[in-house]
Amino acid sequence: MGMVEVRLESLSKQYGSVTAVDSVSLTVGQGEFFSLLGPSGCGKTTTLRIVAGLEQPSAGRLWFGDRDVTRLPTHERRIGMVFQSYALFPHLSVAGNVAYGLRARHEARADIGPKVERALERVRLGGLGQRRVHELSGGQQQRVALARAMVLEPDLLLLDEPLSNLDAALRTETRAELRRLQREAATTSLYVTHDQEEALALSDRLAVLRDGRLQQVGTPREVYSQPANAFVATFLGRANLAPATVAERVGDTWTVRLDNGEHVTGSGHTDLAPGSRALLCVRPESLVPAESGLVGNILDIAFIGQRYEYEVSLAGQRWLACEANRGQSARERGATTRWAVEPDAVRLLPYEEVSCDGVAEP
Ligand SMILES: Nc1ncnc2c1ncn2[C@@H]1O[C@H](COP(=O)(O)OP(=O)(O)O)[C@@H](O)[C@H]1O
Ligand SMILES: [Mg+2]
């Protein structure tokens, strides 16, 4: 079984006046599960199709290891593909679908049966080979599509929103299954999704795209806790974003002055010098009721079971805060309390205009 390192080098794709992919460079390591995450229309599918050889880039190169594959035809790339629509052959049995690629490759007849059965067992569909495709649930059909791709032992697996046609419960279950399978097979995988939770849960690393341009690459933890800009901060989870001015910086510890005059201290690297404008990024779970801190009035309370969510009027904006439910009773709407910001959990982002509610969500 192969696994390949995939390198995109300044790849661009132009459709008339639309730049679908804008000079994207990134490397997917051998055996890595790597996701492309971004809103609809940001160029994920186009990027995947370039890697598959289904589209030619307008500029840039594509490498599999040290091999330039930019012009290599799809059928010579040793890739497996799984799409949002299962694209199974309705007139074939489950086994017939999985065997299709092996037959096309003229594998020995005696090998095909056992390989198909093993592939079906791996996706937990052992014994269902003789079923018709339409006799299976959506989740099962998507696992057939996965078995059909994996039975060919590709060097690279490309997946384009494979879970988005499944209902919520099935999506979570199939997601876990997919992760298990990818770990077992250790096939380099490039996964496309607009669902941030999916990308966080599945990926070794991920890239966030916007308007065809790469915003950030990192592990799920890095991208969530150290977003590069306001777009990444709000696309991955929820974030309170407050305009501020850098008041002081000593090593990696800094203090900013919010526009209402209150101060917040945080730690972590920043290039912003004192006097610079910045955006302070505070995740709701990092803003907690405390003895001292920012003054905020509770506008609204939602009880979510495992936690309380507060909408707080703070620094002239509406912020979101969370408090774990440890059996305590709810705070009161209209109450004014102090809110502490955990220094290790706040970030300074490059300044840009934000809407006045300060709680940005995608
Ligand atoms: N074949 C095509 N012809 C013209 N424009 C296209 C074509 N494919 C994609 N686009 C445009 O390129 C942009 C990126 O599309 P796509 O890669 O499908 O985004 P995503 O998969 O992230 O939703 C969009 O603006 C889309 O309309
Ligand atoms: Mg797409």
Side-chain angles (χ1 to χ4, degrees):
M1 168 121 23
M3 45 161 121
V4 71
E5 179 190 270
V6 179
R7 189 153 61 87
L8 287 64
E9 186 187 324
S10 308
L11 280 184
S12 293
K13 180 68 182 180
Q14 201 84 30
Y15 292 111
S17 62
V18 175
T19 306
V21 180
D22 195 351
S23 199
V24 167
S25 297
L26 57 87
T27 301
V28 182
Q30 288 186 343
E32 190 171 37
F33 195 109
F34 192 102
S35 295
L36 298 177
L37 173 68
S40 174
C42 74
K44 304 180 297 292
T45 294
T46 305
T47 304
L48 202 73
R49 288 174 59 83
I50 292 172
V51 175
L54 299 169
E55 295 284 354
Q56 277 297 309
S58 311
R61 287 178 182 284
L62 179 68
W63 301 82
F64 286 180
D66 52 13
R67 195 164 165 226
D68 182 343
V69 297
T70 315
R71 309 266 162 224
L72 196 70
T74 298
H75 66 270
E76 290 177 32
R77 293 191 183 195
R78 297 188 52 85
I79 52 178
M81 288 184 267
V82 181
F83 301 104
Q84 176 176 352
S85 60
Y86 325 126
L88 298 174
F89 304 116
H91 59 286
L92 295 179
S93 65
V94 167
N97 269 277
V98 178
Y100 187 85
L102 297 170
R103 294 214 173 97
R105 231 159 52 178
H106 304 295
E107 294 228 355
R109 203 169 279 255
D111 293 342
I112 293 180
K115 275 193 183 179
V116 168
E117 196 44 43
R118 225 175 309 135
L120 286 174
E121 271 161 20
R122 272 172 62 188
V123 297
R124 302 185 203 248
L125 291 175
L128 296 186
Q130 293 323 304
R131 291 268 185 97
R132 293 277 135 185
V133 165
H134 68 259
E135 292 170 326
L136 302 183
S137 70
Q140 288 174 322
Q141 289 187 38
Q142 199 52 302
R143 273 143 61 197
V144 174
L146 200 56
R148 185 176 60 175
M150 306 232 345
V151 77
L152 298 171
E153 301 189 353
D155 287 342
L156 172 63
L157 196 56
L158 302 176
L159 306 115
D160 193 349
E161 314 239 11
L163 307 182
S164 57
N165 277 350
L166 308 179
D167 64 44
L170 209 50
R171 201 155 58 224
T172 313
E173 187 189 311
T174 314
R175 182 174 89 194
E177 192 86 342
L178 183 62
R179 189 61 181 127
R180 177 185 65 79
L181 277 167
Q182 196 274 341
R183 283 221 178 88
E184 280 173 18
T187 309
T188 308
S189 302
L190 187 55
Y191 186 91
V192 158
T193 181
H194 67 275
D195 183 327
Q196 46 118 352
E197 194 180 301
E198 222 170 273
L200 290 175
L202 279 169
S203 315
D204 294 315
R205 288 189 309 144
L206 57 97
V208 182
L209 282 172
R210 179 192 200 182
D211 296 337
R213 282 190 298 275
L214 205 58
Q215 304 291 301
Q216 190 169 5
V217 177
T219 64
R221 266 196 78 91
E222 282 165 357
V223 178
Y224 183 82
S225 62
Q226 297 161 52
N229 56 38
F231 176 80
V232 175
T234 53
F235 196 76
L236 271 104
R238 297 181 296 188
N240 301 298
L241 298 173
T245 304
V246 180
E248 192 181 57
R249 205 181 96 192
V250 179
D252 274 351
T253 301
W254 41 260
T255 299
V256 293
R257 188 177 58 254
L258 302 177
D259 288 358
N260 72 344
E262 290 186 291
H263 287 78
V264 173
T265 294
S267 61
H269 179 75
T270 177
D271 290 325
L272 295 165
S276 307
R277 290 291 276 165
L279 273 186
L280 179 71
C281 172
V282 182
R283 295 288 187 193
E285 64 272 21
S286 309
L287 186 68
V288 289
E291 295 295 303
S292 63
L294 304 170
V295 177
N297 182 262
I298 298 177
L299 301 173
D300 214 344
I301 301 171
F303 176 61
I304 312 286
Q306 10 153 278
R307 65 180 188 277
Y308 293 98
E309 289 192 356
Y310 303 107
E311 204 181 303
V312 184
S313 168
L314 198 151
Q317 292 180 304
R318 293 162 94 86
W319 284 31
L320 195 66
C322 297
E323 186 177 27
N325 173 19
R326 299 193 184 84
Q328 78 277 35
S329 55
R331 286 163 195 281
E332 306 229 344
R333 187 180 329 197
T336 295
T337 42
R338 298 262 177 183
W339 301 84
V341 171
E342 293 170 10
D344 289 339
V346 289
R347 296 291 156 209
L348 281 190
L349 306 180
Y351 181 78
E352 59 186 89
E353 295 274 329
V354 288
S355 66
C356 69
D357 69 1
V359 180
E361 285 184 70

